[in-house]
């Protein structure tokens, strides 16, 4: 039950990521008050690619790498989804990551 609640909180933050922006596992962890749980956020996001209302493709690692790409169906779906939003990806890395980074702790609706 606690895991379900954690995942629910992760998904709530992920749903707020603006179109054309990205955030990191660690930023989501901090936003939900679990700063040392970036890896758990990653586990939550692994299953989120199947949820239509959670833009899991917008969550990358702290360096802008598409570390979760293997959890999307198809060969390059995560990259394709990001590029469809105008986000440039080269070598599995978001280009201009700092400019595109969305901080849920400071920009959250909460």
């Amino acid at each position: 039950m606690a895991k379900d609640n954690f995942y629910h909180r992760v998904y709530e933050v992920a749903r707020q990521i603006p179109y054309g922006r990205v955030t990191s596992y660690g930023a989501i962890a901090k936003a939900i008050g679990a700063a040392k749980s970036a890896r758990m956020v990653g586990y939550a996001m692994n299953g989120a690619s199947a949820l239509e209302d959670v833009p899991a493709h917008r969550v990358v690692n702290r360096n802008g790498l598409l570390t979760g790409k293997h959890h999307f169906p198809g060969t390059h779906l995560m990259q394709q989804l990001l590029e469809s939003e105008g986000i440039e990806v080269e070598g599995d890395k978001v280009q201009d990551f700092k400019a595109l980074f969305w901080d849920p702790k400071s920009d959250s609706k909460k």
Side-chain angles (χ1 to χ4, degrees):
M1 187 68 141
K3 181 175 132 182
D4 291 340
N5 185 37
F6 181 88
Y7 282 26
H8 176 76
R9 291 183 295 149
V10 168
Y11 298 154
E12 284 301 309
V13 173
R15 286 183 183 104
Q16 297 176 43
I17 305 168
Y19 182 92
R21 304 283 299 277
V22 293
T23 196
S24 67
Y25 304 106
I28 292 176
K30 288 177 187 169
I32 64 171
K36 296 186 185 270
S37 298
R39 189 174 302 261
M40 281 298 297
V41 171
Y43 294 145
M45 297 311 295
N46 288 347
S49 63
L51 303 173
E52 290 183 26
D53 66 334
V54 178
H57 64 284
R58 296 180 189 151
V59 184
V60 297
N61 84 354
R62 68 176 188 252
N63 298 312
L65 290 171
L66 311 187
T67 53
K69 69 180 184 171
H70 303 293
H71 298 282
F72 286 81
T75 308
H76 299 287
L77 182 58
M78 184 178 188
Q79 179 173 338
Q80 291 168 346
L81 290 168
L82 289 169
E83 289 175 341
S84 75
E85 295 184 18
I87 297 172
E88 187 178 340
V89 177
E90 287 182 22
D92 290 333
K93 185 174 183 179
V94 171
Q95 301 301 294
D96 208 12
F97 176 64
K98 287 184 181 181
L100 296 172
F101 180 77
W102 176 75
D103 184 355
K105 193 119 166 111
S106 63
D107 293 343
S108 177
K109 297 176 190 173
K110 293 177 184 178

